[in-house]
Amino acid sequence: MRIRKAVLPVAGLGTRVLPASKVIPKEMLPLVDKPTLQYIVEEAVEAGIEEIIFVTSRSKRSIEDHFDVFPELEQALERKGKLKELKALRHVQTMAIYTSVRQPVALGLGHAVLCAKALVGNEPFVVMLGDELVAPETPCLQRMMEIHEKYNGSVLSLFTSPPELISSYGIASVQDLESGVVQVSQLVEKPPLEEAPSDLAVAGRYILTPDIFELLEKTPQGRGGEIQVTDAIQMQAEAGHCYGLRFSGVRYDTGNPLGLLTTSIAYGLRDPAIAPGLREYMRQVLQ
Ligand code: G1P
């Protein structure tokens, strides 16, 4: 079944980038000239996603506003003849259908996904985490969708984690099926290094089959006292319905100050209008 919907859980407090994220959602912090979240929505649209479902919270209203119409601004841009800016603004509003649902209490990522149950309905869907970007030249969602088509289960994107970061990720035990494709047999959320079943970590891109909602409803609190999506996917893995893509492309973590800064530089270097000036500045400061 073609995947049309993406759930973007954006209700988190963003404590790793405080105080920047006190009144501006961390997903709205800019990289060059767009909020980080816009890159994620563009990644989804590029992979053929038509509907974006934001799982928000009360302090995150600006996220819905960013993707909504702003008639006064459009009129002002039109009057001033700023047609390029107007086109860019309209593109953001129209590239997908946007819906949103509130996560009333922060009970974890699994709970956030469960909040989208009614909006997703009975179809497979993508989950994209808001503090992780995938470089546009190494996309992974399309390949994950192909794996889903072929094997008909949930699909995770997996990467090799350095030992010191194992306890920050969901960790998978896998068997290879074909080049770059694995069957996931076990998943553990943020295990201590010595208990990790492997060094393959779950990245912030998932394809989930809709039975995940029933599983989430019966998932007890897990790591950190939260309802973990990893624990519900583990039930799918046990039943033989979870697959993975060994993703070797480039990921950026924008959920911490250093990651935000290095990702800004990486995206600045990709932008032909910014790159020459940025290179020159870096040449000067690194001398
Ligand atoms: C979440 C998931 C974890 C996954 C990670 C990827 O953790 O719970 O399994 O490996 O995202 O970024 P978080 O980073 O939200 O704590």
Side-chain angles (χ1 to χ4, degrees):
M1 186 174 187
R2 202 167 80 74
I3 299 181
R4 302 181 305 126
K5 298 183 181 181
V7 172
L8 277 55
V10 289
L13 290 174
T15 50
R16 288 188 297 161
V17 281
L18 278 170
S21 58
K22 184 179 170 194
V23 291
I24 301 171
K26 65 173 178 177
E27 299 82 3
M28 293 303 290
L29 295 174
L31 291 174
V32 190
D33 56 359
K34 297 181 208 169
T36 52
L37 191 58
Q38 189 176 323
Y39 291 93
I40 296 179
V41 171
E42 287 170 351
E43 180 194 335
V45 170
E46 193 60 34
I49 294 295
E50 293 163 7
E51 184 174 333
I52 303 289
I53 302 168
F54 296 117
V55 181
T56 68
S57 61
R58 60 192 157 275
S59 60
K60 300 279 185 118
R61 287 210 179 96
S62 61
I63 289 180
E64 284 144 305
D65 291 346
H66 179 74
F67 293 93
D68 196 3
V69 293
F70 190 167
E72 296 87 336
L73 181 57
E74 286 185 39
Q75 284 156 16
L77 291 174
E78 209 151 20
R79 269 200 312 276
K80 288 173 196 278
K82 297 200 170 232
L83 301 182
K84 193 169 141 251
E85 288 80 357
L86 182 62
K87 195 171 162 215
L89 211 69
R90 289 202 171 132
H91 172 67
V92 175
Q93 296 157 14
T94 54
M95 67 181 160
I97 297 165
Y98 303 102
T99 55
S100 63
V101 60
R102 288 269 180 104
Q103 184 184 20
V105 268
L107 294 180
L109 181 58
H111 178 257
V113 172
L114 185 54
C115 289
K117 179 181 175 183
L119 290 174
V120 171
N122 191 27
E123 54 184 285
F125 61 104
V126 164
V127 173
M128 303 171 82
L129 302 190
D131 49 12
E132 211 174 297
L133 297 191
V134 174
E137 59 275 15
T138 59
C140 71
L141 278 184
Q142 262 129 340
R143 183 72 191 109
M144 291 171 72
M145 287 175 180
E146 288 162 14
I147 297 169
H148 168 75
E149 283 275 310
K150 180 164 176 186
Y151 293 97
N152 231 333
S154 288
V155 183
L156 309 176
S157 53
L158 302 167
F159 65 99
T160 306
S161 167
E164 66 278 12
L165 290 180
I166 292 266
S167 62
S168 307
Y169 291 112
I171 302 294
S173 173
V174 305
Q175 285 79 47
D176 284 299
L177 292 176
E178 56 180 294
S179 174
V181 182
V182 297
Q183 170 125 32
V184 176
S185 53
Q186 195 201 352
L187 269 180
V188 193
E189 179 66 2
K190 300 183 178 144
L193 178 58
E194 56 287 1
E195 286 168 29
S198 79
D199 60 357
L200 266 189
V202 178
R205 301 291 181 267
Y206 306 73
I207 289 177
L208 298 177
T209 50
D211 57 304
I212 197 74
F213 293 121
E214 259 174 53
L215 298 172
L216 282 167
E217 274 160 359
K218 58 182 189 199
T219 299
Q221 289 178 342
R223 180 76 59 192
E226 297 188 334
I227 297 172
Q228 298 292 352
V229 77
T230 307
D231 295 341
I233 304 172
Q234 155 67 10
M235 294 186 234
Q236 293 183 324
E238 257 175 32
H241 301 312
C242 182
Y243 302 88
L245 166 70
R246 285 183 187 270
F247 179 62
S248 52
V250 182
R251 302 165 49 249
Y252 298 101
D253 181 0
T254 56
N256 64 78
L258 179 61
L260 201 58
L261 186 59
T262 49
T263 312
S264 293
I265 294 171
Y267 278 73
L269 290 173
R270 260 197 200 98
D271 184 332
I274 305 270
L278 179 57
R279 267 184 220 288
E280 177 54 23
Y281 172 74
M282 288 187 343
R283 201 183 55 75
Q284 284 173 18
V285 291
L286 293 174
Q287 256 176 10

